[in-house]
Amino acid sequence: MIKLMIVDDEYNIRMGLQSMIERKFPEVYSFRFAEDGREALEQLEQDPADIIITDIRMPIMDGITLLSHIQQFPYKPEVLLLSGYDDFQYAQKAIRYQVRDYLLKPVVREELYSFLERIRVEIMDRKKQNELLTVSSPSDWIANILNSNSNDSSETFTDLLNAGYDWLEGQYILGIICVGQNDLIPVLLSEMQDIIISNDKEGNIIIIAQNKHEFIQLSEELKKSGERECRIALSSSTEGIQQLRKAYSEAKQTMKYFLVNNSEVLFYDHIIKRSSNCELPLETIHRLSNLLGNDRLPEVKQLLQQILNIQVISHCEIGYLERISVIMNEEIFDKVYRYYGQESIHILRLYSQVGHIGNFQRFVDYYNKVEELLERLDAFVKVAREQSSQENKSMQKAINYVHKHFAEDLNMAVVSNQLSLNYTYFSHAFKEYTGTSFSSYLRNFRLEKAKALLAGSDLKVYEISQQVGFDNVKHFIRIFKELEGITALEYRNQNQQPVALK
């Protein structure tokens, strides 16, 4: 069974999710539960999970902190994040942890089922592939060396040499193989001579062979079998068993270049020749950001072509594209969400894909998703600006009304009714426009009028209180002292202007 953990501080939500899942997928998942991130972490350290469904806001340890700890695990579960509209900024942070998907509360059954079915198929494929591979002691030893955080692997090195793999002290190449489900793989691997087969913590097949020809032959045989998704990333020719981790690191770095390369086999020796001095298109990214929402989508797309120019990218090291991705996130996508926050959260799922370039295997897929997101954001920003312009006009009318009627019995309900606006909407919009609540704005405006009368007239304090809209002089005196730090009379004594002689 697939091990699924549900993390939420509300009992009803935990039980409700279990009930929904069991009805759709009977006897597929084994369930565990945690009320907060710390409890979940303690359980995961004892027994990993395949899938985690976690809320964001929880006491003791929230979902984002839990995700940050999970990144240190050798085996990372697939994570589905549950969030509310008010959790937007937290959900945005979670993108950096490559969360597989997110769902807004209340959870829609079909969306939950779609996620679970997609992940279930992936997990079962990985498990089946691992079962098909012949696992021997050398395979376990290699996996321990590559996946261990310890630098002391001398005992494991000795075990490998004693088991007849002393050729690792000479020249060898390490390859990482990414391939879809293919029953022919175990057969092809069994025919390869003098190799070690293992797996890394991402589920990729690791092969160590004495030369690159074994890998090229394997790729050709897989193509003959109809396999179109095979990718093999090779380290440089390495010497000495102590260099296994270095070879693995090189192959991992080589894997990144499949994003911009259609070859079935990539060599580390080829990718390191790419330029590390490519100039980032910072000004072009800035221009694109400024064009969003201005009815200039064709120009936006032209600038995107310049930013993600495959001719330039193909000659640069992969860090160039990775850096462009980060800058676009910060200067374009994050910028929109900082301005429009909750209103733009419906685009978050698309953004969560584009937010990390590691989510893509082909450059064209990344490019298309970025272009799609820009189209969505361009339309969204345009509408948001039009709404904001209309909203600003309404708020200015509200302020004008306050300035004209401040001395009357005035409150937010009166003003919102005058403008035919929903009370709750008016409250939010007024605060966004002025930076303060309606009651604070009205109070401060009345006090400014009172201060002018105190300094420029001989009216008594209670008369001024009435003229600026306070219905209770004691209330006026108390508010004045709290906000100004002195009494109304003290203010008059310090600021009253002398009467001009006639």
Side-chain angles (χ1 to χ4, degrees), residues 256-261 274-276 278-281 285 304 306-310 312-329 354-358 360-364 366-367 370:
K256 295 181 179 180
Y257 285 82
F258 283 115
L259 182 66
V260 293
N261 194 300
R274 297 192 177 209
S275 173
S276 60
C278 298
E279 185 176 354
L280 292 165
I285 293 174
L304 179 63
Q306 296 175 32
I307 294 167
L308 296 180
N309 186 333
I310 189 60
V312 174
I313 290 171
S314 62
H315 290 90
C316 299
E317 65 175 3
I318 198 66
Y320 172 76
L321 178 56
E322 292 173 333
R323 185 60 185 150
I324 287 178
S325 174
V326 170
I327 295 172
M328 290 182 69
N329 288 341
V354 172
H356 199 292
I357 201 167
F360 299 89
Q361 296 184 357
R362 298 190 307 161
F363 174 78
V364 65
Y366 172 69
Y367 187 100
V370 171

Side-chain angles (χ1 to χ4, degrees), residues 179-239:
V179 66
Q181 183 179 346
N182 191 317
D183 294 341
L184 186 61
I185 292 176
V187 177
L188 294 176
L189 294 181
S190 67
E191 295 174 353
M192 297 175 68
Q193 302 297 316
D194 293 327
I195 65 169
I196 303 176
I197 307 168
S198 187
N199 293 91
D200 65 8
K201 56 190 176 184
E202 281 84 26
N204 298 314
I205 301 171
I206 305 297
I207 295 180
I208 304 173
Q210 295 188 57
N211 59 68
K212 64 183 180 183
H213 301 298
E214 298 280 1
F215 297 100
I216 295 173
Q217 181 180 350
L218 175 62
S219 175
E220 291 174 349
E221 293 296 330
L222 285 169
K223 281 196 294 184
K224 290 179 183 177
S225 73
E227 176 61 57
R228 292 292 177 264
E229 299 298 325
C230 176
R231 297 171 298 155
I232 303 177
L234 301 182
S235 71
S236 61
S237 181
T238 306
E239 183 175 355

Side-chain angles (χ1 to χ4, degrees), residues 443-444 446-448 450-451 454 461 465 470 472-492 494:
R443 181 197 60 203
N444 293 339
R446 284 171 166 170
L447 285 177
E448 288 302 315
K451 285 159 64 176
L454 286 167
V461 171
S465 170
F470 286 90
N472 186 307
V473 67
K474 290 182 179 180
H475 178 62
F476 168 72
I477 291 172
R478 180 176 61 81
I479 293 296
F480 195 100
K481 177 69 181 296
E482 287 179 359
L483 296 181
E484 298 298 327
I486 57 176
T487 67
L489 289 176
E490 287 172 336
Y491 182 88
R492 166 170 276 171
Q494 294 177 14

Side-chain angles (χ1 to χ4, degrees), residues 271-498:
I271 68 158
I272 60 172
K273 296 177 182 178
R274 297 192 177 209
S275 173
S276 60
N277 298 315
C278 298
E279 185 176 354
L280 292 165
L282 301 178
E283 180 59 31
T284 309
I285 293 174
H286 182 68
R287 284 164 51 203
L288 188 155
S289 177
N290 290 336
L291 286 180
L292 286 179
N294 290 312
D295 270 333
R296 297 169 71 177
L297 187 58
E299 292 178 60
V300 167
K301 292 188 175 184
Q302 288 178 2
L303 292 176
L304 179 63
Q305 290 176 356
Q306 296 175 32
I307 294 167
L308 296 180
N309 186 333
I310 189 60
Q311 300 301 320
V312 174
I313 290 171
S314 62
H315 290 90
C316 299
E317 65 175 3
I318 198 66
Y320 172 76
L321 178 56
E322 292 173 333
R323 185 60 185 150
I324 287 178
S325 174
V326 170
I327 295 172
M328 290 182 69
N329 288 341
E330 295 173 349
E331 298 298 323
I332 301 177
F333 309 136
D334 289 353
K335 184 177 177 181
V336 171
Y337 296 119
R338 282 196 300 271
Y339 281 127
Y340 301 105
Q342 295 177 9
E343 289 80 1
S344 59
I345 197 169
H346 64 283
I347 312 176
L348 183 60
R349 181 176 284 109
L350 182 57
Y351 174 43
S352 68
Q353 293 177 290
V354 172
H356 199 292
I357 201 167
N359 292 329
F360 299 89
Q361 296 184 357
R362 298 190 307 161
F363 174 78
V364 65
D365 295 331
Y366 172 69
Y367 187 100
N368 290 339
K369 284 297 181 183
V370 171
E371 186 175 52
E372 181 183 351
L373 179 55
L374 287 173
E375 289 174 355
R376 296 272 296 274
L377 291 178
D378 182 71
F380 171 80
V381 172
K382 178 184 176 183
V383 172
R385 284 178 176 171
E386 291 172 352
Q387 292 175 342
S388 177
S389 176
Q390 185 60 42
E391 183 179 280
N392 290 346
K393 291 178 182 178
S394 296
M395 292 307 103
Q396 189 56 51
K397 288 181 181 179
I399 289 173
N400 293 340
Y401 188 88
V402 170
H403 290 183
K404 184 176 180 180
H405 300 276
F406 69 93
E408 302 171 10
D409 183 12
L410 198 62
N411 56 46
M412 191 163 66
V414 171
V415 180
S416 61
N417 286 336
Q418 283 291 326
L419 299 175
S420 300
L421 293 175
N422 174 270
Y423 181 90
T424 303
Y425 168 79
F426 177 82
S427 175
H428 174 76
F430 190 91
K431 188 172 183 178
E432 286 288 316
Y433 186 70
T434 64
T436 188
S437 67
F438 178 85
S439 59
S440 295
Y441 184 90
L442 176 59
R443 181 197 60 203
N444 293 339
F445 186 78
R446 284 171 166 170
L447 285 177
E448 288 302 315
K449 290 296 184 180
K451 285 159 64 176
L453 290 173
L454 286 167
S457 77
D458 291 326
L459 292 172
K460 297 184 182 303
V461 171
Y462 79 88
E463 293 174 323
I464 291 174
S465 170
Q466 292 175 348
Q467 286 199 22
V468 299
F470 286 90
D471 57 359
N472 186 307
V473 67
K474 290 182 179 180
H475 178 62
F476 168 72
I477 291 172
R478 180 176 61 81
I479 293 296
F480 195 100
K481 177 69 181 296
E482 287 179 359
L483 296 181
E484 298 298 327
I486 57 176
T487 67
L489 289 176
E490 287 172 336
Y491 182 88
R492 166 170 276 171
N493 292 334
Q494 294 177 14
N495 296 277
Q496 191 168 36
Q497 302 296 320

Side-chain angles (χ1 to χ4, degrees), residues 57-72:
R57 295 197 185 187
M58 297 177 290
I60 304 177
M61 181 187 289
D62 62 27
I64 303 302
T65 307
L66 171 62
L67 288 174
S68 68
H69 285 290
I70 288 175
Q71 303 311 302
Q72 310 304 317

